[in-house]
Amino acid sequence: PQGNGVHKVKAKRSGSRNPWQRDMAIDILPGRALCVVLVTLFAASLPLPAEAFVSIPRFPGGIACKMGSVQSSQESLGPMPEPSEDGDVAAIADAIAKRVQCVAFDMDQCLVAQHSRGRLSKENLSGFLSRVTPDFVKLVPELDRRGVKLAVCTHSDKAEYNAFVKPETHVLGEDLVEEVLRASVPQQAARFFVVAYNPQVRYNLLLPFFPHMIGKKLHVRECVKHYGLSGPASVMLFDDDDVNVGVTEGCVALKVDPGTGFSLRALKQRILAL
């Protein structure tokens, strides 16, 4: 029948020389469309080597650096958490130093009380930097004085740059983390190791087949390798995501309230109980 969108190609009969040959019907367009879909899904799902997502040191002292964006200027943001007392910060730093060798902070809705959402424009960078939580600023120097290794483990990833989100107009990944650290803890910025990696973006549909890459598992492994630690149990991760704190490599993971960001007032009892 005509007009059904299916084009049929008939093979010619070759008479007595090929008595077995018969008419063939090939659905060209649906077959081609299926091939295009399958090839596209396969290409989009190909994982890239993990080494591509962990940056090399950039700062003179050795900062190694994780896809995200900033919320629009019209989006309402909650109040910043109140800073903790200096004595409490020192006591918490003591407790952490006795328990682990490295502390890793998530960036979006954790050390920064805002989400970059993979499309933070450079014109909104200053607003994002103003949302760094006060307790992050107070705790980092205390940890550094006690010899605790520092890290930022974020899903902000340069892989999210595209035709609309460009490096010329936006800032993502380790570049964004560097801006945050330089602005908030300039004396310790060069001491941070930063993993810029988003498994959902990198692995796409194949992520369920790579459970060792889910959440912040790779981030923790990279921290262990970079600092030469005994194992994941030597790392404490602060993160606002349930998956990231629930599925770990065996590190000490503490959930941060995404509504307020990193706050020692909310975390104090859990840290001291470790």
Side-chain angles (χ1 to χ4, degrees):
Q2 301 297 318
N4 61 358
V6 177
H7 297 267
K8 295 187 176 182
V9 179
K10 291 186 177 182
K12 294 183 179 179
R13 293 183 183 275
S14 53
S16 58
R17 296 182 63 182
N18 296 291
W20 52 268
Q21 193 171 17
R22 64 181 183 274
D23 291 345
M24 295 183 298
I26 304 175
D27 296 342
I28 296 178
L29 292 182
R32 180 181 298 174
L34 179 60
C35 289
V36 171
V37 171
L38 291 177
V39 170
T40 301
L41 290 176
F42 177 75
S45 301
L46 286 177
L48 300 176
E51 289 77 7
F53 319 135
V54 183
S55 74
I56 60 174
R58 287 171 170 256
F59 288 118
I63 178 174
C65 304
K66 152 186 166 211
M67 189 156 171
S69 129
V70 88
Q71 291 170 294
S72 66
S73 57
Q74 291 75 30
E75 188 171 354
S76 60
L77 298 170
M80 293 289 289
E82 291 293 325
S84 298
E85 298 293 334
D86 292 344
D88 287 341
V89 176
I92 291 172
D94 284 337
I96 292 174
K98 292 177 181 178
R99 180 65 175 81
V100 298
Q101 297 173 282
C102 173
V103 172
F105 298 88
D106 176 39
M107 180 176 66
D108 293 325
Q109 294 181 315
C110 187
L111 77 88
V112 180
Q114 186 172 337
H115 205 297
S116 60
R117 305 198 184 284
R119 55 184 184 277
L120 176 60
S121 66
K122 291 184 176 180
E123 65 181 18
N124 288 326
L125 176 59
S126 60
F128 188 76
L129 298 179
S130 70
R131 300 286 297 179
V132 174
T133 56
D135 278 355
F136 172 76
V137 176
K138 298 184 74 169
L139 181 63
V140 165
E142 295 291 338
L143 293 176
D144 186 41
R145 278 193 284 271
R146 289 162 176 77
V148 177
K149 307 300 183 184
L150 301 168
V152 172
C153 294
T154 176
H155 280 171
S156 182
D157 193 332
K158 284 185 174 181
E160 289 187 283
Y161 279 126
N162 54 50
F164 303 100
V165 179
K166 302 178 181 180
E168 296 79 15
T169 56
H170 294 73
V171 56
L172 308 175
E174 67 264 28
D175 292 343
L176 178 54
V177 176
E178 287 182 17
E179 294 285 355
V180 171
L181 295 177
R182 289 182 189 275
S184 59
V185 285
Q187 298 301 315
Q188 291 76 35
R191 295 182 172 84
F192 274 84
F193 176 69
V194 184
V195 185
Y197 170 79
N198 189 327
Q200 189 62 58
V201 171
R202 299 289 185 167
Y203 280 77
N204 208 319
L205 299 178
L206 291 182
L207 183 58
F209 298 98
F210 295 87
H212 63 292
M213 307 300 287
I214 293 174
K216 295 289 176 70
K217 288 185 174 183
L218 174 91
H219 302 68
V220 173
R221 291 197 301 271
E222 290 296 330
C223 288
V224 171
K225 181 167 64 176
H226 177 77
Y227 285 122
L229 306 177
S230 58
S234 298
V235 179
M236 180 178 291
L237 172 67
F238 293 106
D239 202 294
D240 70 295
D241 187 89
D242 290 326
V243 173
N244 296 341
V245 299
V247 182
T248 69
E249 288 287 286
C251 71
V252 180
L254 296 177
K255 177 79 160 52
V256 172
D257 184 350
T260 61
F262 183 73
S263 171
L264 290 177
R265 291 175 182 268
L267 296 164
K268 178 181 177 181
Q269 296 306 318
R270 281 182 284 167
I271 294 174
L272 296 179
L274 292 174

